[in-house]
Amino acid sequence: KNQVEQSPQSLIILEGKNCTLQCNYTVSPFSNLRWYKQDTGRGPVSLTIMTFSENTKSNRRYTATLDADTKQSSLHITASQLSDSASYICVVSAGYQKVTFGTGTKLQVIP
Amino acid sequence: DTAVSQTPKYLVTQMGNDKSIKCEQNLGHDTMYWYKQDSKKFLKIMFSYNNKELIINETVPNRFSPKSPDKAHLNLHINSLELGDSAVYFCASSQGRSGMAFFGQGTRLTVV
């Protein structure tokens, strides 16, 4: 069964600190992995897309890593800001039709 | 300048009614999607539509029917609404099936 598990479920960090969110998946065959940021009451916004051959991708203060062998991905946020408070969702695609969403990590950045 | 817009933003309706949610994208994308996000914030893809090819998620009841009059629009029609249909529905679009998806703001559907 295709599954995407994210950890931690929730996280509180001080503004300016770094943090890392984890995503483990059992989706097969692997097509791509995406990280989304979803602010409360808004639609998800894409942060990164990674395919099998990519193991690091950055988008401003967000850096995603992918280890296709261990089926793990991480999202590292550098120098967090209050506006980073949101849910971060890992999504793994197996081909076109099978898209599996993780349950997300709720991040709260406090001053 | 909204890239993906959905209407209405909120929809409250009684069980058994039929309702539609509209979605339009002005990004020139060729692929559009409908997602459902339940109370636990878990997102599930419902449909994707690429150049007149409709991909149906088998877990979606046939009371849900997408309609795409053209590449820029993908509307969602729901018949005989049930309490369990209450959720936030997101429309999204992308260029190609593997492109980065852009989401709308969501439609919060409440069935009473």
Side-chain angles (χ1 to χ4, degrees):
Chain A
K1 183 181 176 183
N2 290 335
Q3 286 187 314
V4 177
E5 294 181 352
Q6 292 187 240
S7 61
Q9 220 172 25
S10 61
L11 181 62
I12 301 176
I13 61 173
L14 290 173
E15 187 180 8
K17 298 296 184 184
N18 304 335
C19 67
T20 300
L21 314 180
Q22 299 290 344
C23 173
N24 296 340
Y25 62 92
T26 60
V27 174
S28 182
F30 177 84
S31 178
N32 61 64
L33 184 147
R34 307 168 192 228
W35 281 96
Y36 287 92
K37 176 188 178 189
Q38 185 175 20
D39 293 312
T40 301
R42 303 183 73 87
V45 174
S46 290
L47 295 177
T48 62
I49 301 179
M50 300 176 75
T51 58
F52 187 86
S53 58
E54 298 172 300
N55 52 27
T56 301
K57 191 167 264 192
S58 292
N59 177 359
R60 294 176 295 172
R61 294 178 296 102
Y62 301 101
T63 300
T65 65
L66 173 65
D67 186 333
D69 292 332
T70 61
K71 298 188 175 181
Q72 295 179 327
S73 175
S74 65
L75 181 69
H76 186 76
I77 304 175
T78 305
S80 60
Q81 300 176 358
L82 297 178
S83 59
D84 292 332
S85 296
S87 288
Y88 290 83
I89 304 169
C90 175
V91 184
V92 184
S93 298
Y96 177 42
Q97 295 188 42
K98 297 192 186 303
V99 179
T100 306
F101 284 75
T103 51
T105 293
K106 189 165 185 177
L107 173 66
Q108 188 178 353
V109 181
I110 58 176
Chain B
D1 280 51
T2 306
V4 181
S5 59
Q6 299 176 226
T7 54
K9 191 170 180 183
Y10 299 98
L11 181 56
V12 181
T13 187
Q14 289 186 321
M15 268 196 324
N17 283 350
D18 302 338
K19 290 293 177 185
S20 292
I21 307 172
K22 295 185 177 180
C23 178
E24 177 182 3
Q25 55 95 2
N26 63 6
L27 297 165
H29 288 165
D30 60 4
T31 305
M32 295 185 72
Y33 313 82
W34 276 106
Y35 294 85
K36 179 181 179 181
Q37 187 169 43
D38 60 26
S39 57
K40 295 181 180 177
K41 307 297 183 188
F42 192 62
L43 268 162
K44 275 189 178 178
I45 190 167
M46 300 175 69
F47 304 101
S48 56
Y49 209 104
N50 173 262
N51 285 327
K52 299 185 181 179
E53 181 187 357
L54 176 64
I55 308 298
I56 299 174
N57 186 309
E58 61 189 20
T59 64
V60 178
N62 57 15
R63 297 182 293 104
F64 290 80
S65 55
K67 290 182 177 22
S68 181
D70 54 56
K71 258 183 20 173
H73 296 83
L74 183 63
N75 303 324
L76 182 65
H77 189 76
I78 315 169
N79 288 329
S80 302
L81 278 155
E82 300 177 358
L83 293 177
D85 297 332
S86 296
V88 181
Y89 292 84
F90 287 100
C91 175
S93 73
S94 67
Q95 182 55 34
R97 297 174 176 182
S98 303
M100 188 166 281
F102 290 78
F103 283 75
Q105 294 300 296
T107 294
R108 183 175 291 278
L109 171 66
T110 303
V111 182
V112 297

